[in-house]
Amino acid sequence: QVQLVESGGGWVQPGGSLSLSCTATGVLFSANAMGWYRQAPGKQRELVAVSATTGTTTYPDSVKGRFTISRDNAKTALYLQMNSLKAEDTAVYYCNVFPLFALGDDYDTWGQGTQVTVSS
């Protein structure tokens, strides 16, 4: 059974930084691309960073140059360094495999997420 535990969120002023962590169990971590997702109030969940098994990382334009994803396969841990945070980055952040259907068409397991609030 997949278990995902996110941590590291909090409140930060615009322009500040936060570092998120995630541990994943029940999944062959090193064999899967992993991603960070976020969901803001009233909005759909969106993908903000991907770490492929090859080490390649990808980001949408909204966070490119500000967010950095990394992984430690030995610890089955995923990280997200967020710099130059903006109010629009406020959301609950989740980690999970990417794409979700890599673990089956019906896969829809999520952790509790970690809240990131950017405001002055």
Side-chain angles (χ1 to χ4, degrees):
Q1 185 175 355
V2 177
Q3 289 190 316
L4 303 157
V5 180
E6 301 91 352
S7 63
W11 173 83
V12 64
Q13 292 185 329
S17 298
L18 280 175
S19 181
L20 307 184
S21 299
C22 162
T23 56
T25 57
V27 59
L28 191 54
F29 189 88
S30 61
N32 282 277
M34 297 294 297
W36 281 99
Y37 303 75
R38 70 184 179 188
Q39 187 167 21
K43 295 187 177 181
Q44 288 190 331
R45 189 171 288 153
E46 64 174 342
L47 180 69
V48 296
V50 176
S51 171
T53 57
T54 59
T56 301
T57 58
T58 55
Y59 309 90
D61 288 344
S62 59
V63 307
K64 193 175 296 182
R66 300 188 299 119
F67 289 12
T68 302
I69 188 172
S70 60
R71 63 192 294 162
D72 185 332
N73 288 337
K75 296 181 179 179
T76 65
L78 191 71
Y79 308 100
L80 186 68
Q81 177 65 40
M82 305 186 295
N83 299 326
S84 302
L85 283 161
K86 305 176 181 180
E88 51 263 43
D89 295 318
T90 294
V92 179
Y93 284 70
Y94 304 86
C95 69
N96 217 323
V97 297
F98 176 81
L100 293 176
F101 60 75
L103 296 187
D105 291 343
D106 296 331
Y107 175 73
D108 193 29
T109 298
W110 295 88
Q112 83 287 350
T114 187
Q115 175 72 48
V116 171
T117 302
V118 185
S119 73
S120 54

